[in-house]
């Protein structure tokens, strides 16, 4: 197994080339922002030396194959500095030609305003919402260790991140850094672009943290690099970080907008083009005689050599992989299958075995599904924000710094961090992931869930205790608006199963989906089994055959715990002489109302989204109350009698 | 002015009474949970000594007047330990009789599962969603200093909080603690119930933070109390904390479920009743011979004496207030007016002066409104999560540890912390508050915004850059689903003004509302003025008179930046021969569609909520793209031509 700390041939560029390369990065970025007349020149100009040091002396990657499984990961958590990343990718030969740099921030370009996963070769994740890049880097570093524990022969890489002041002020940085320190993720090295400036002015207007002491308190190795233009010092600090078994935090002191004479070191350099004059003067001072978007030949040649070294690294890895595959063909096949997100055989069978007759909460049904899936799908990993027992996501002993081979991850009481870390694991590849909390706390992790959707990552969110039926814990713990608020996130699959059968189907749908996240919305309280007929199409099964519509036909559409309620209501309506169809809308987006029936939705949550689909939407548009679950449900009109009264009133009015 | 560190007469209860009182608290809590057969006994049993020490020796309050402006604030951030707080309130004579303790967690009781502001006399804020209590306490402590700067004669109190492990793991604890350290909020004293247990097990399964070092890194005074049952040690630590000019963090080591023989010190004690046997044995071991819900006479008498001291404190304060009012009647009147949330005279006039003819972004209109309001309303304070300039919420130099008298607060890049701190300031009283960020980052602060709504606090959220028209920054910065996701939060007023006139109206509506939060949704891009007729009713003004409906009548309803687009579309439709009415739905909840017209909504965001209101909902249900704003809008069909085509298709289909 290669020893990572010496994996780089010691072919550091000359001092002269270093300086030229750093200036290339600075002016590529400034030129991009200038051409777009929009963007953030300051961060790239200040952070260019640390970025160059990292990419020239440390980052192991092959621009010819951005998907190489064992590459080092680089995350620009300060995503507004995207021009810096695009400059690096361009210089090192990723498929990002000058033309794309000239189209910075233009519609349809490969150089969007913030790094967008999937839009640009070599961009490891979408960043811009501050703090999340750091947390995703933590997820990638954890995934590396977990993969290493399973496949030591072929997994051995690092994760590097550059973070800004904003990243460190955001709460998610606390959650992620604390988690990384706890798990001793020594393969993670974070460089802080310590420029003391934020959009509104000096950092010390709002923050006086001793960040070094803070990260030390999390159990990280820390170091200060007092001069962020000193490449040798940065390099030495990174080497020491690589040698340290703890995650590393390097505070690199920089000047925002370095070299721009009038705005360097001020907030003016943060988020606006320098302007033609200021940029010209900066180039003059730097002795930069090249045309816009130029990469000097000397720099290009050096990058080409470095890229070749990376190609060699990958070739070596391919050899190792071949050896590994020869020695352990089944494990190699499993590695390849998981990396391709191909589901294992036997999944549907395993899931179907979870369906029973006894009433139980769908969170319990889901625990059974999870157990079943794990029996055939070793690449599924995940855990809970400290609610594994409550949410039905227990899966054995938890990953620890002395054992990364386990399935279960104890994320701690850190919902947002959990979701961002799950994104990082998913982006790293080789794993499918899930994370759980109470549905009401989906609010805490929402920013990362949005990124799951935007990045098309198949993260599975297990969200339980899904309505005011939660009961005694009261309105702070009772979701009302949450299911609807999730349904409006583009690309998020929201599934609210009604029983064992639908829960198994929901897990299957979640796992089958490889290009986007799924939220499983599960009950705390026990639900009866099979109050619907067998499912013929996801979300649109019928209990009774749908007749041709007339004024005596009613379609009741419900989800989750309200399906049984709808079935009971249907009984009564049939006694009234109506023909009634009950639909369980596992996925509301797949529900099409019957064209010629009275349609009524029954869901213990916001009615806003239902109102456009049905004639009468019965729900809850106010906060709940503390009390026993059934009493709270009754208080808000969720009994057979109360629902029936509402429907009879409606039907009476339509006669 | 009284010196707070000596405000308490030194009448510490005897050791015997102390022990009895602590056991009273423990068993009141355990009895409540047992009676409810639901709840969290472990935290109260472990934290009873620190709570008793605080309430018996430090907290300055008068149970007869829970709204006394200069009382000390107590926040139970570990809200699941509500039974501890109810026990304290009961013992000290707040209006919370035994009967209410017996009805713990029952529907309609004053003892809900988690502390709910407004439900229980003496409960300062709603807690349960972890970490937010700490952040609200920071807001209260800041409000105290800001009030002290304005009214030193009558403001001089402290804020105490008890936090749990979960609070400290949550990211918002980082944001709030960092902010408090930066501002040197020395009147804030936080006691950490350091019991090393979370719901899923030992804290060290997921967290290894050195919390003392961490809070020291934020600039806090810190101390460890190794034995959380040692009242003298706790008392001494609190005294040192009170004397220290920094905010204080005291790590008090406790045993969860203290005294319950089989479950103490384990996660089993966290969230389930002890059970009759375990509780009986705990009482036996403690030598507790009283019936359930008993408060021994000796304890009751002590609490009565302490309450009398509190009443005396308040009487002294009333004398000081009378002196103050005599010496400075105008300032006293202002204090009283602000405390009662009565608006100042001249507000409407000031706002009307902001309306002009020139096109501008509503974020700029809003800055003008804010300036106008501040000219007559000194109690309005607030700021931005580091986007004051961009969001139109600049208001002069920022509050600093050497000057709390200012209006503007630099919250730093801490959206969630900002919102929770705003809740704390609002709960403290004496101020109206606002906070700003980009609309897309409303996701970051959503958990606290929900609490604003649940607690009925009139926090004003200024949320700008309100659609994909944001442009170049791309999908991470372009809200799509956000307006809809806010509209579903019960009790939140969501206003999206179209121009100067509506922005002024929106500010007036936000300020007039005293019992709930408002979100102002504002554009980044310039908008024309007066594309609608003068407003006759908020949100339902018409541009052209609405005729009786027929198949040639169309109602276009739009909000914000899409109102001008709707007006332009209307011109074309009129040329087609339709009678067209344009409605600006400043507040969508107030919009009623015309009963006999074709209704079409036009809003650059989710259509889900519109679909239930109109015949055709034109919106955006996918993520945006990076590019110049107008091009991005065009790409997503938001041009006159594209909208017109959609509407003509629809109208053609209905003929």
């Amino acid at each position: 197994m290669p020893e990572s700390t010496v994996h780089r041939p010691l072919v550091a560029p000359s001092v002269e080339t270093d300086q030229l390369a750093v200036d290339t990065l600075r002016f590529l970025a400034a030129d991009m922002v200038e051409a777009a007349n929009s963007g953030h020149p300051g961060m790239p100009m200040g952070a260019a030396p640390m970025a160059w040091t990292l990419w020239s002396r440390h980052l192991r990657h092959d621009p010819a194959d951005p998907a190489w499984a064992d590459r080092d990961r680089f995350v620009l958590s300060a995503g507004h500095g995207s021009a810096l990343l695009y400059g690096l990718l361009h210089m090192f030969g990723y498929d990002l030609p000058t033309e794309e740099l000239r189209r910075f921030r233009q519609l349809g370009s490969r150089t969007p305003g913030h790094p967008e996963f999937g839009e640009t070769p070599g961009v490891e994740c979408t960043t811009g919402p501050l703090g999340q890049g750091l947390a995703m880097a933590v997820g990638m570093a954890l995934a590396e260790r977990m993969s290493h524990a399973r496949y030591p022969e072929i997994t051995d890489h690092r994760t590097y991140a550059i973070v800004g002041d904003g990243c460190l002020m955001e709460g998610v940085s606390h959650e992620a850094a604390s988690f990384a320190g706890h798990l001793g993720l020594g393969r993670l090295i974070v460089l802080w672009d310590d420029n003391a400036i934020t959009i509104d002015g000096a950092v010390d207007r709002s923050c006086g943290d001793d960040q070094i002491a803070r990260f030390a308190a999390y159990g990280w190795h820390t170091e200060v690099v007092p001069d962020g233009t000193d490449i040798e010092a940065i390099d030495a600090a990174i080497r020491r970080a690589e040698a340290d078994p703890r995650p590393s935090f390097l505070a690199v002191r920089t000047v925002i907008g370095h070299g721009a004479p009038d705005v360097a070191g001020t907030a003016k350099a943060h988020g606006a083009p320098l302007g033609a004059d200021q940029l010209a003067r900066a180039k003059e001072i730097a002795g930069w005689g090249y045309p816009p978007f130029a990469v000097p030949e000397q720099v290009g040649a050096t990058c080409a050599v470095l890229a070749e070294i990376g190609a060699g690294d990958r070739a070596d890895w391919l050899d190792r992989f071949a050896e590994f595959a020869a020695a352990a063909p089944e494990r190699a096949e499993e590695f390849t299958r998981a990396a391709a997100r191909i589901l294992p055989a036997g999944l549907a069978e395993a899931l179907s075995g979870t369906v029973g007759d006894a009433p139980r909460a769908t969170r319990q049904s889901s625990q059974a599904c999870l157990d079943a899936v794990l029996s055939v799908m070793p690449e599924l990993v995940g855990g809970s924000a400290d609610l594994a027992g409550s949410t039905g996501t227990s899966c054995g002993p938890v990953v620890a710094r002395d054992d990364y081979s386990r399935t279960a991850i104890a994320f701690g009481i850190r919902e947002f961090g959990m979701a961002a870390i799950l994104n990082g694991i998913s982006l790293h590849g080789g794993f499918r992931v899930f994370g759980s909390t109470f549905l009401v706390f989906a609010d805490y992790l929402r920013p990362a869930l949005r990124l799951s959707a935007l990045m098309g990552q198949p993260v599975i969110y297990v969200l339980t205790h899904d309505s005011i039926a939660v009961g005694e814990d009261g309105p702070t713990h009772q979701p009302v608006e949450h299911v609807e608020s999730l349904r409006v996130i583009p690309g998020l699959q929201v599934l609210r199963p009604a029983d064992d059968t639908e829960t198994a189907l929901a897990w299957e749908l979640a796992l089958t989906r490889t290009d986007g996240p799924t939220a499983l919305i599960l009950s705390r309280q026990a639900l009866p089994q099979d109050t619907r007929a067998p499912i013929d199409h996801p979300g649109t099964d019928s209990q009774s055959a749908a007749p041709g519509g007339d004024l005596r036909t009613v379609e009741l559409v419900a989800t989750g715990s309200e399906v049984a309620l709808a079935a009971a209501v249907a009984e009564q309506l049939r006694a009234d002489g109506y023909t009634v169809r009950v639909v369980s809308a596992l996925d509301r987006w797949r529900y099409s109302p019957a064209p010629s029936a009275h349609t009524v939705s029954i869901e213990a949550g916001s009615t806003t989204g239902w109102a456009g689909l049905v004639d009468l939407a019965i729900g809850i548009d106010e906060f709940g109350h503390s009390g026993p679950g059934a009493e709270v449900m009754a208080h808000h009109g969720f009994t057979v009698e109360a629902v029936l009264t509402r429907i009879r009133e409606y039907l009476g009015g339509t006669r």
Side-chain angles (χ1 to χ4, degrees), chain A:
Chain A
M1 210 173 66
E3 188 49 53
S4 277
T5 48
V6 295
H7 69 245
R8 250 0 319 210
L10 295 169
V11 290
S14 68
V15 171
E16 190 196 339
T17 305
D18 277 340
Q19 186 55 48
L20 206 57
V22 166
D23 281 341
T24 304
L25 277 171
R26 284 182 177 136
F27 292 121
L28 279 178
D31 287 343
M32 280 185 242
V33 173
E34 209 60 27
N37 194 27
S38 168
H40 302 76
M43 187 276 172
M45 296 179 82
M50 74 179 85
W52 172 251
T53 307
L54 201 52
W55 281 57
S56 63
R57 285 158 172 79
H58 297 274
L59 197 74
R60 198 176 55 147
H61 63 125
D62 179 1
D65 184 4
W68 170 31
D70 200 34
R71 71 194 182 278
D72 287 346
R73 269 50 166 192
F74 174 74
V75 174
L76 186 70
S77 188
H80 53 277
S82 58
L84 175 64
L85 178 53
Y86 299 145
L88 289 162
L89 293 169
H90 172 68
M91 283 164 56
F92 279 83
Y94 284 80
D95 186 11
L96 199 67
T98 310
E99 186 47 40
E100 290 293 336
L101 304 191
R102 292 185 187 276
R103 295 176 66 217
F104 181 56
R105 296 185 151 234
Q106 303 308 302
L107 203 55
S109 77
R110 264 179 262 162
T111 47
H114 290 82
E116 300 285 347
F117 177 77
E119 301 284 328
T120 317
V123 167
E124 299 283 3
C125 60
T126 296
T127 52
L130 293 175
Q132 293 197 58
L134 171 58
M136 287 188 276
V138 169
M140 292 175 190
L142 174 60
E144 192 276 341
R145 284 295 87 184
M146 293 177 76
S147 182
H148 177 82
R150 288 159 176 76
Y151 305 102
E153 303 91 336
I154 50 170
T155 308
D156 177 42
H157 55 269
R158 296 186 186 283
T159 303
Y160 301 92
I162 295 180
V163 306
D165 291 294
C167 297
L168 299 185
M169 284 198 231
E170 290 288 358
V172 72
S173 71
H174 166 61
E175 300 183 16
S178 169
F179 180 83
H182 165 70
L183 284 180
L185 300 177
R187 293 308 184 93
L188 174 65
I189 295 172
V190 173
L191 292 88
W192 169 30
D193 175 27
D194 178 12
N195 64 28
I197 291 294
T198 69
I199 294 178
D200 273 346
V203 166
D204 66 11
R205 288 171 75 248
S206 60
C207 187
D209 294 357
D210 179 343
Q211 302 289 9
I212 289 288
R214 177 188 163 207
F215 276 77
Y218 296 141
W220 289 48
H221 162 72
T222 62
E223 193 166 327
V224 174
V225 179
D227 176 2
T229 67
D230 184 341
I231 285 177
E232 293 310 317
I234 297 168
D235 181 42
I238 297 173
R239 284 179 190 275
R240 283 188 291 271
E242 287 169 344
D244 197 285
R246 297 166 291 179
S248 292
F249 177 79
L250 308 179
V252 185
R253 303 246 161 95
T254 63
V255 175
I256 193 169
H258 175 101
D262 298 334
V263 300
T266 77
K268 285 179 192 161
H270 172 83
L274 296 180
D277 283 0
Q278 185 73 191
L279 178 53
R281 286 176 58 206
K283 287 182 175 176
E284 195 185 324
I285 291 166
W288 186 260
Y290 300 89
F293 296 102
V295 176
E297 200 183 321
Q298 187 179 345
V299 173
T302 299
C303 289
V305 169
L306 292 166
E308 251 179 71
I309 293 170
D313 287 339
R314 184 170 71 97
D316 291 348
W317 182 84
L318 287 170
D319 290 346
R320 285 204 304 284
F321 189 86
E323 279 172 41
F324 165 63
E330 285 180 20
R331 287 174 57 225
E333 202 175 316
E334 191 171 280
F335 177 91
T336 304
R337 179 185 62 73
R341 289 183 186 157
I342 294 168
L343 294 178
L347 192 63
E349 294 70 19
L351 281 168
S352 68
T354 67
V355 177
D357 296 327
R360 59 175 168 175
T362 48
R363 63 181 167 134
Q364 294 171 311
S365 316
S366 179
Q367 174 76 68
C369 291
L370 182 60
D371 294 344
V373 172
L374 286 172
S375 71
V376 296
M377 196 171 172
E379 73 270 29
L380 181 65
V381 299
S384 182
D386 201 52
L387 291 167
S390 301
T391 58
T393 50
S394 298
C395 41
V398 298
V399 168
R401 62 168 68 200
D402 57 5
D403 190 349
Y404 295 107
S405 72
R406 297 168 178 165
T407 294
I409 303 169
F411 288 103
I413 301 156
R414 309 180 180 108
E415 297 81 8
F416 188 5
M418 172 177 74
I421 289 165
L422 289 172
N423 281 337
I425 299 172
S426 182
L427 287 160
H428 176 279
F431 296 99
R432 294 294 299 272
V433 296
F434 68 92
S436 77
T437 185
F438 292 160
L439 174 58
V440 82
F441 299 131
D443 282 352
Y444 273 66
L445 56 74
R446 189 174 175 88
L449 192 157
R450 186 177 205 255
L451 277 196
S452 304
L454 185 55
M455 297 188 295
Q457 293 304 303
V459 177
I460 300 174
Y461 292 92
V462 180
L463 304 171
T464 71
H465 295 58
D466 70 351
S467 77
I468 61 166
V470 162
E472 288 90 345
D473 277 340
T476 56
H477 285 57
Q478 293 170 351
V480 170
E481 72 279 21
H482 296 80
V483 174
E484 198 58 39
S485 78
L486 293 175
R487 285 182 179 134
V488 295
I489 296 178
L492 174 65
Q493 178 173 242
V494 180
L495 305 175
R496 188 169 186 240
D499 55 16
D500 280 3
T501 304
E502 284 196 352
T503 306
L505 176 60
W507 266 101
E508 195 177 337
L509 290 170
L511 290 166
T512 307
R513 187 169 199 225
T514 58
D515 62 352
T518 297
L520 303 177
I521 312 294
L522 305 171
S523 77
R524 174 189 185 224
Q525 74 274 28
L527 306 180
Q529 301 299 332
D530 286 321
T531 60
R532 322 147 288 98
I535 286 168
D536 47 44
H537 185 272
T540 58
D541 65 301
S542 61
Q543 186 179 61
S544 58
D550 64 39
L551 284 177
R552 303 295 290 171
T553 300
V554 177
E555 176 170 281
L556 303 180
V557 54
T559 69
S561 51
E562 282 72 70
V563 172
L565 174 61
V569 168
E571 289 290 315
Q572 300 292 315
L573 286 175
R574 289 190 190 106
D576 289 358
Y578 288 93
T579 301
V580 186
R581 170 182 152 95
V582 175
V583 175
S584 176
L586 175 63
D587 177 349
R588 197 196 50 206
W589 292 125
R590 302 195 194 200
Y591 166 67
S592 298
S596 47
H598 298 290
T599 51
V600 179
S601 66
I602 308 172
E603 187 178 72
S606 299
T607 57
T608 319
W610 288 104
L613 291 169
V614 297
D615 300 316
L616 174 65
I618 298 177
I620 300 171
D621 293 301
E622 62 191 341
F623 290 117
H625 295 86
S626 174
E631 289 180 36
V632 176
M633 285 291 263
H635 179 77
H636 289 273
F638 273 74
T639 59
V640 173
E641 297 68 33
V643 169
L644 204 51
T645 301
R646 291 280 308 277
I647 296 175
R648 282 175 177 154
E649 278 171 12
Y650 159 76
L651 291 171
T654 65
R655 267 172 195 159

